[in-house]
């Protein structure tokens, strides 16, 4: 096993942990109450503070070099490390390519680095307009509207089109931007079991029967990133037509990297009818920049969003540097080079899955650049992620509430440029770290259980002592 050691050569990491309680989720601190806004949030530190002391809260790890297949990083505690990068969501490994960097530099020289306004207020550039045109051509859609981030596109399209009297029916695992947009638009939001076409149709049918004239929007994703799975989009689109409903597909994680030419899972499945379909996506995965967009074959719908989608109207335009970067990457996606990259990343997926399965580990979902490696226990997952950083592997641990309780996992982001040596090192390192983490957590739980038993014994002693003293007082009471 090749090891990429920490750069903190004078520090010997002790990753044993002390469990003070088994509350692993922060959600109980979400709905805090009290009139003092600043004081009422301090209780959250009871949980997160103890985890930080043990360095198993891994928020705000940062790149110390370009996030390529190997890179430097620093965690939130100042520890610097170097190793193989399976954490960055750069599914075709394009963020360091020279064409994009050159395009970004040229745009900065030509336009400066800021759009200096919303799209409706002199904030667009020639790169902005060109990106819209080439996205339309790539997806084969008639109209596109650009947002300043993928999250804004998901939120903005639903909030911009749906009204309080409309209905939204969505997969229960739809992304936060979609659920936030839906609940901001209407109280009539219904979530159905993941990937269940039967449950989706049942709910849509019930709504249409009770509300013959209501607008119904069905929302799903091309690729659900945490489970790396997807629904039958062709069947779903036919169902929505049957009930005169409309379909929104979030293609954030499949755009560029899935389908023969990278259009997404809808291309992979052969979806042809877009008469009632809205497509949305973001550029952070395969275009190497924060841009979002919505596409539709209706000019009127896209034009309406320009005036009634607040996430579009009241946000600065995507700046020229970002648009030029996205254009350079889009042209790679739409080339023979893009085809080869898509083939290679899938080859890497199949190799990793086969080798991990052979060692008894479970991979969730369908083939994609995302490989969800199931761990189960949330605390084990945290410790595994920490140990793998120590061993020179960057990866992301995912746990509740992002996924179901007891379904914690590593989300392994693959790139075409990962070599066999990279993948073999990951596999061997994970196997080592998983065994070590399981032992650490088991020992910690035993200590925790022992401490609970000792605490209960002490409380019982104090209780018995109190009862004894009470009895003595009763005996000393005089007869009156």
């Amino acid at each position: 096993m090749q090891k990429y050691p920490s750069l903190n050569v004078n520090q010997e990491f002790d990753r044993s942990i002390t469990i003070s309680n088994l509350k692993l989720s922060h959600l109980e601190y979400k709905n805090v109450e009290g009139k003092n806004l600043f004081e009422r949030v301090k209780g959250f530190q009871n949980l997160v503070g103890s985890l930080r002391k043990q360095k198993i809260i891994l928020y705000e790890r940062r790149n110390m070099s370009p996030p390529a297949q190997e890179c430097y990083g620093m965690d939130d505690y100042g520890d610097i490390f170097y190793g193989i990068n399976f954490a960055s969501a750069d599914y075709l490994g394009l963020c360091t390519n020279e064409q994009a960097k050159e395009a970004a530099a040229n745009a900065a020289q030509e336009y400066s680095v800021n759009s200096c306004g919303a799209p409706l207020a002199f904030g667009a550039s020639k790169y902005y307009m060109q990106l819209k045109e080439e996205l339309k051509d790539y997806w084969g859609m008639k109209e596109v509207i650009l947002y300043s981030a993928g999250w804004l596109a998901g939120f903005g399209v639903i909030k911009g089109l749906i009204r309080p009297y409309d209905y939204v029916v969505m997969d229960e695992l739809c992304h936060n931007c979609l659920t936030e947009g839906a609940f901001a638009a209407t109280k009539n939001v219904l979530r159905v079991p993941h990937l269940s076409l039967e449950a989706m149709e049942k709910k849509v049918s019930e709504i249409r029967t009770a509300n013959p004239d209501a607008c119904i929007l069905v929302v799903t994703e091309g690729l659900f990133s945490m489970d790396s799975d997807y629904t039958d989009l062709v069947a779903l689109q036919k169902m929505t037509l049957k009930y005169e409903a409309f379909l929104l597909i979030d293609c954030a994680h499949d755009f560029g990297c899935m389908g023969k030419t990278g259009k997404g899972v809808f291309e992979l499945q052969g979806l042809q009818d877009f008469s009632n379909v809205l497509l949305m996506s973001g550029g952070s995965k395969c275009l190497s920049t924060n841009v979002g967009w919505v596409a539709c074959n209706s000019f009127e719908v896209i034009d309406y969003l320009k005036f009634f989608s607040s996430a579009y109207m009241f946000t600065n335009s995507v700046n020229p540097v970002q648009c030029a970067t996205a254009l350079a990457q889009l042209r790679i996606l739409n080339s023979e080079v893009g085809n080869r990259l898509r083939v290679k990343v899938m080859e890497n997926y199949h190799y990793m899955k086969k080798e991990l399965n052979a060692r008894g580990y479970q991979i969730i979902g369908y083939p994609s650049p995302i490989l969800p490696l199931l761990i189960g226990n949330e605390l084990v997952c945290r410790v595994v992620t920490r140990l793998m950083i120590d061993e020179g592997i960057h990866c992301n641990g995912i746990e509740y509430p992002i996924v179901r309780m007891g379904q914690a996992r590593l989300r392994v982001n693959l790139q075409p440029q990962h070599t066999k040596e990279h993948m073999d090192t990951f596999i061997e390192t994970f196997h080592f770290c998983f065994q070590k983490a399981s032992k650490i957590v088991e020992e910690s739980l035993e200590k925790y259980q022992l401490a609970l038993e000792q605490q209960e014994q002490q409380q019982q002693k104090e209780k018995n002592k109190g009862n004894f003293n009470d009895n003595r007082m009763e005996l000393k009471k005089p007869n009156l």
Side-chain angles (χ1 to χ4, degrees), residues 55-167:
K55 296 188 177 182
I56 53 175
I57 286 284
L58 295 173
Y59 278 21
E60 296 189 344
R61 285 174 292 155
R62 65 222 66 164
N63 301 310
M64 301 296 285
S65 65
Q69 295 73 48
E70 295 183 20
C71 63
Y72 290 93
M74 178 186 289
D75 66 19
D76 203 22
Y77 314 102
D79 294 334
I80 300 173
F81 46 88
Y82 178 84
I84 310 172
N85 179 12
F86 287 96
S88 296
D90 183 18
Y91 300 153
L92 295 185
L94 292 175
C95 78
T96 58
N97 91 78
E98 294 303 320
Q99 292 164 267
K101 290 193 285 185
E102 183 179 353
N106 290 340
Q109 288 297 323
E110 180 180 3
Y111 265 96
S112 84
V113 294
N114 193 5
S115 59
C116 298
L120 299 179
F122 203 49
S125 66
K126 70 178 184 182
Y127 295 111
Y128 180 96
M129 303 307 293
Q130 187 63 31
L131 179 58
K132 287 208 303 181
E133 291 302 313
E134 295 196 23
L135 282 170
K136 286 195 295 185
D137 291 343
Y138 183 62
W139 253 354
M141 304 297 284
K142 292 181 180 178
E143 297 295 335
V144 164
I145 181 173
L146 293 184
Y147 288 81
S148 296
W151 195 97
L152 293 173
F155 180 91
V157 63
I158 299 178
K159 183 66 167 61
L161 293 176
I162 297 301
R163 298 295 170 256
Y165 37 80
D166 296 330
Y167 291 80

Side-chain angles (χ1 to χ4, degrees), residues 1-210:
M1 179 177 69
Q2 181 174 350
K3 185 174 180 179
Y4 293 78
S6 164
L7 299 187
N8 304 286
V9 293
N10 295 322
Q11 182 174 3
E12 181 66 30
F13 291 115
D14 176 13
R15 295 307 183 199
S16 61
I17 57 173
T18 301
I19 300 174
S20 56
N21 64 68
L22 291 177
K23 294 178 180 178
L24 296 175
S25 173
H26 61 273
L27 283 187
E28 67 177 281
Y29 298 98
K30 181 179 179 181
N31 297 316
V32 292
E33 297 180 352
K35 66 180 181 182
N36 191 318
L37 181 64
F38 291 178
E39 287 296 323
R40 72 185 193 181
V41 302
K42 290 183 178 179
F44 178 52
Q45 294 305 315
N46 295 333
L47 171 65
V48 76
S50 64
L51 297 175
R52 279 205 178 101
K53 287 178 182 177
Q54 301 181 77
K55 296 188 177 182
I56 53 175
I57 286 284
L58 295 173
Y59 278 21
E60 296 189 344
R61 285 174 292 155
R62 65 222 66 164
N63 301 310
M64 301 296 285
S65 65
Q69 295 73 48
E70 295 183 20
C71 63
Y72 290 93
M74 178 186 289
D75 66 19
D76 203 22
Y77 314 102
D79 294 334
I80 300 173
F81 46 88
Y82 178 84
I84 310 172
N85 179 12
F86 287 96
S88 296
D90 183 18
Y91 300 153
L92 295 185
L94 292 175
C95 78
T96 58
N97 91 78
E98 294 303 320
Q99 292 164 267
K101 290 193 285 185
E102 183 179 353
N106 290 340
Q109 288 297 323
E110 180 180 3
Y111 265 96
S112 84
V113 294
N114 193 5
S115 59
C116 298
L120 299 179
F122 203 49
S125 66
K126 70 178 184 182
Y127 295 111
Y128 180 96
M129 303 307 293
Q130 187 63 31
L131 179 58
K132 287 208 303 181
E133 291 302 313
E134 295 196 23
L135 282 170
K136 286 195 295 185
D137 291 343
Y138 183 62
W139 253 354
M141 304 297 284
K142 292 181 180 178
E143 297 295 335
V144 164
I145 181 173
L146 293 184
Y147 288 81
S148 296
W151 195 97
L152 293 173
F155 180 91
V157 63
I158 299 178
K159 183 66 167 61
L161 293 176
I162 297 301
R163 298 295 170 256
Y165 37 80
D166 296 330
Y167 291 80
V168 177
V169 184
M170 60 200 315
D171 190 292
E172 64 179 348
L173 297 189
C174 276
H175 191 268
N176 171 269
C177 67
L178 304 171
T179 57
E180 292 281 342
F183 282 106
T186 177
K187 65 180 181 180
N188 303 318
V189 179
L190 301 108
R191 303 172 76 177
V192 302
H194 184 47
L195 303 185
S196 175
L197 287 171
E198 181 181 357
M200 188 76 79
E201 180 166 8
K202 183 175 185 293
K203 193 59 65 178
V204 171
S205 175
E206 289 172 355
I207 296 169
R208 178 57 71 220
T209 300

Side-chain angles (χ1 to χ4, degrees), residues 342-402:
R342 284 185 284 273
V343 170
K344 184 61 171 67
V345 76
M346 296 308 293
E347 289 176 354
N348 285 353
Y349 170 90
H350 288 296
Y351 177 78
M352 286 273 279
K353 183 177 188 296
K354 176 174 71 72
E355 295 298 318
L356 285 163
N357 284 162
R359 287 162 174 77
Y361 296 110
Q362 181 182 348
I363 307 303
I364 300 169
Y366 308 141
S368 82
I370 305 165
L371 187 143
L373 175 50
L374 184 66
I375 291 177
N377 182 279
E378 285 74 19
L379 194 50
V380 172
C381 186
R382 289 183 186 179
V383 178
V384 166
T385 308
R386 175 77 266 178
L387 292 174
M388 291 190 74
I389 292 175
D390 296 345
E391 299 294 328
I393 301 287
H394 312 297
C395 59
N396 296 318
I398 308 295
E399 62 179 69
Y400 180 83
I402 301 173

